[in-house]
Amino acid sequence: PELAFHINRERGLHGKPSIVPRVKQYEEDKDHLDDIAKGAGDTFKFRMGLFDRILAGLSSEEHDPDNLIFDKEELVQIMKTLKGEDQGLIDQSSSDLGQWMAEYLKDNGYSPHSSSILMKQMFMESFPPVTRGEELSEENIEEYLLKMRKVLHRYSELDEKNTTTQSLASNPWMHASGWW
């Protein structure tokens, strides 16, 4: 995540949109899901650290884009630039990701066709609103960053719990002691 961040940060500082990776089809990723999931915890923590640095920079009187110290106006403009304006690309990537998620659910024992309301509830719980359709602005940028950080923190905690549980489950000493 760090390399992509540095490349896209430079692009944003020079008025260019971020590089948008192609959303692979689920079939292309199917045999590599463990690899995709493996770096999740580090990615969550990396992003939280970025948000922390940006939030600290917003309250600073300094200006140093190389160290993520921006004023609100500049940060909002950079984020809008990075998002890009190619609506066709945005729509296609969103559609491809939705298709990927549907195929993942079906392939992993879920029944989205018969439990669509439950799936929507689970999805909304996993991805709470951070802007509710509003454009990023100087008025809501801090709230946006805090909400995104909160979501990432929740995922990071879940990743740590899962990692600890997996470690305990694979430790033969735990099984021998009757603890597990």
Side-chain angles (χ1 to χ4, degrees):
E2 291 179 45
L3 179 59
F5 163 74
H6 290 296
I7 290 169
N8 285 323
R9 180 190 67 191
E10 286 302 312
R11 291 179 63 84
L13 292 173
H14 292 95
K16 297 178 183 177
S18 63
I19 295 172
V20 178
R22 179 179 70 88
V23 178
K24 293 181 182 179
Q25 294 183 3
Y26 177 73
E27 278 300 314
E28 293 178 69
D29 282 338
K30 185 177 179 176
D31 295 331
H32 310 284
L33 296 177
D34 286 342
D35 293 332
I36 294 170
K38 192 179 297 179
D42 291 338
T43 299
F44 301 150
K45 289 175 185 162
F46 176 75
R47 292 285 178 133
M48 285 190 318
L50 287 178
F51 290 147
D52 289 345
R53 288 173 52 201
I54 291 169
L55 285 162
L58 287 176
S59 62
S60 170
E61 295 296 320
E62 297 179 38
H63 180 265
D64 185 359
D66 289 335
N67 288 308
L68 304 178
I69 300 175
F70 306 100
D71 63 33
K72 288 181 182 181
E73 179 182 3
E74 184 179 28
L75 178 59
V76 168
Q77 187 55 50
I78 289 170
M79 291 184 75
K80 285 181 178 179
T81 299
L82 285 171
K83 180 181 176 186
E85 296 179 8
D86 185 344
Q87 196 58 48
L89 176 62
I90 293 168
D91 292 345
Q92 185 63 53
S93 292
S94 298
S95 177
D96 291 347
L97 183 58
Q99 184 63 40
W100 189 99
M101 294 172 81
E103 290 175 21
Y104 173 87
L105 289 169
K106 289 187 286 187
D107 194 44
N108 286 278
Y110 295 93
S111 302
H113 67 286
S114 63
S115 55
S116 63
I117 292 179
L118 174 63
M119 295 289 114
K120 289 175 183 178
Q121 291 167 333
M122 292 168 71
F123 187 82
M124 290 186 300
E125 190 65 27
S126 297
F127 299 99
V130 291
T131 61
R132 284 252 187 235
E134 319 172 46
E135 287 286 319
L136 285 180
S137 67
E138 291 178 50
E139 291 76 33
N140 69 9
I141 188 68
E142 285 184 78
E143 181 182 5
Y144 166 81
L145 292 169
L146 289 168
K147 285 180 177 179
M148 285 297 298
R149 191 195 184 292
K150 182 178 178 180
V151 170
L152 291 168
H153 181 72
R154 191 169 77 188
Y155 286 132
S156 179
E157 285 184 329
L158 182 61
D159 180 69
E160 285 180 23
K161 286 179 187 175
N162 289 339
T163 302
T164 301
T165 302
Q166 289 169 354
S167 295
L168 291 173
S170 65
N171 186 332
W173 179 83
M174 293 293 180
H175 297 285
S177 70
W179 181 83
W180 197 254

